[in-house]
Amino acid sequence: MVVQQYRDGGGARAVRALAAAGVIAVTAGCMGGDGGGAGDGSGQRSVAADRPLDLLGQAADVLVEAGGAETRTSMETAAGGTRVTIRGQGAYDFRKQMGRLRVVLPKDPAGKDAAGAEGHRPITELLAPGALYMKNRGAGVPDDKWVRIDTTGLKDGNLVTGGVTDPMAAAELLRGAADVTYAGKTELAGVTVHHYRGVADLGRAARAASPQSRGALSAAAKGFSKDAVPFDAYLDEDGRLRKVRHRFTFSSDARGSEVSVVSTLLLYGFGLPVTVTLPDEDAIYTGEIRQG
C-alpha cells in the first residue's frame, strides 16, 4: 500500500423517539458504518497523479457535472453495547441539489422502531437546498401530510438530523480538507477507486461551499462541538466521489456530553435522470409534532 501525507496551511439508548426537528436524537457514542453499491465508468486520467487536496476540493463540482446518481446511505450510533443503524436509498440530482430517499429506522429487540411504534413504515425524505421534507413522519402527523424543516435553522445543518447526510453537503464538506493521506488504490463494487483519509474543517467547508449549501454548513459549523470532521473518501478515475464516510461529533445535552455519529454515503449509476417534486403548501403539516 502506498501512503503519502498531504497538508494544507491551516490547521443508555442510542436513538430516542423521533425528535420534533427530524429523525434522530442521539444520546450516546458511535462506531463506523458501511454499505454497498454498484458502479460504472472508466476514466481518462488517474486521480492519484493529481494533488489530493485539489481533487477533494473539486469533488462536489465533478458531481455537479455528472448530474444525477443513485445513492445508499447509513448513519450509525452505538450505546450500551447496542449498535443502531438508520439506512437510506434513493437518487440525487447534484445540479439541482435535490433528492428523494427512502429511510428505514432500526427496530429494537421487541420489534419496535426507534419511535416505539409497531411496524413503522419507511420515511420518505425529499432533500432540497435549505429544506428537508419528510412523509410517514409519525408522531401525530397525518399520513397524507409532509413535515418541512428549514435546515439552515438546525444546529447540525441536517448533517445528522434526518438520519441521512445530504449527498451534496457530504461532498462539499471535502472542500474543507486540511490534512489528507493517500491510502492507495482499491476496488469498490467492481470500480477502481483511490482512497483518501483526512480531516475536514466545517467552517472552512462552509466558506468554500456553493450558495445553496452554505447556509446549512454554516449552521453546522456553529452547532457542532468539534469543527474537525474525520473522513474517508473514495474517488474513481474520473474524480467522481463513489463513497465517503464522515464522523461527526457534537454535544448531546447541557452537560456537554459528546456524541459521535458515523455517516456513510455511496454513489453509483451516474447520469441517472432524477425527478423530485416538492409538496404543495397545503400538503405541509403545520400542527404540533408529538414526541415519542
Side-chain angles (χ1 to χ4, degrees), residues 170-191:
E172 298 239 47
L173 269 174
L174 298 178
R175 298 186 191 273
D179 285 317
V180 177
T181 297
Y182 177 57
K185 184 186 298 186
T186 186
E187 189 172 286
L188 179 65
V191 176

Side-chain angles (χ1 to χ4, degrees), residues 37-243:
D40 62 352
S42 59
Q44 301 298 317
R45 61 182 177 81
S46 172
V47 297
D50 297 311
R51 292 188 67 240
L53 290 170
D54 291 339
L55 285 167
L56 294 171
Q58 297 165 5
D61 298 327
V62 174
L63 290 176
V64 170
E65 293 178 5
E70 294 182 72
T71 180
R72 292 184 185 177
T73 68
S74 70
M75 190 166 287
E76 187 169 308
T77 66
T82 301
R83 180 179 297 180
V84 257
T85 303
I86 297 172
R87 299 191 184 278
Q89 184 169 0
Y92 193 89
D93 185 329
F94 287 94
R95 291 173 181 164
K96 297 181 179 179
Q97 296 193 17
M98 299 177 68
R100 182 184 184 96
L101 295 100
R102 179 178 181 268
V103 178
V104 180
L105 299 176
K107 293 183 178 182
D108 64 21
K112 297 183 179 181
D113 62 33
E118 298 285 353
H120 186 78
R121 291 172 296 172
I123 296 174
T124 299
E125 294 193 3
L126 303 182
L127 307 174
L132 167 66
Y133 298 82
M134 297 185 292
K135 195 172 186 180
N136 297 336
R137 169 63 180 73
V141 180
D143 290 344
D144 62 340
K145 294 292 186 179
W146 292 81
V147 173
R148 183 188 185 279
I149 296 171
D150 178 0
T151 55
T152 62
L154 297 174
K155 288 185 176 181
D156 71 304
N158 194 36
L159 292 179
V160 300
T161 289
V164 171
T165 300
D166 183 295
M168 190 63 181
E172 298 239 47
L173 269 174
L174 298 178
R175 298 186 191 273
D179 285 317
V180 177
T181 297
Y182 177 57
K185 184 186 298 186
T186 186
E187 189 172 286
L188 179 65
V191 176
T192 298
V193 293
H194 297 271
H195 179 192
Y196 301 92
R197 293 192 183 100
V199 178
D201 181 270
L202 278 167
R204 182 177 176 185
R207 292 189 294 272
S210 64
Q212 297 95 319
S213 300
R214 192 169 300 144
L217 290 179
S218 295
K222 297 176 182 177
F224 280 85
S225 59
K226 291 184 179 179
D227 287 340
V229 180
F231 68 82
D232 284 84
Y234 300 78
L235 276 62
D236 66 17
E237 295 287 355
D238 288 324
R240 296 177 299 194
L241 185 66
R242 291 282 182 159
K243 176 180 177 180

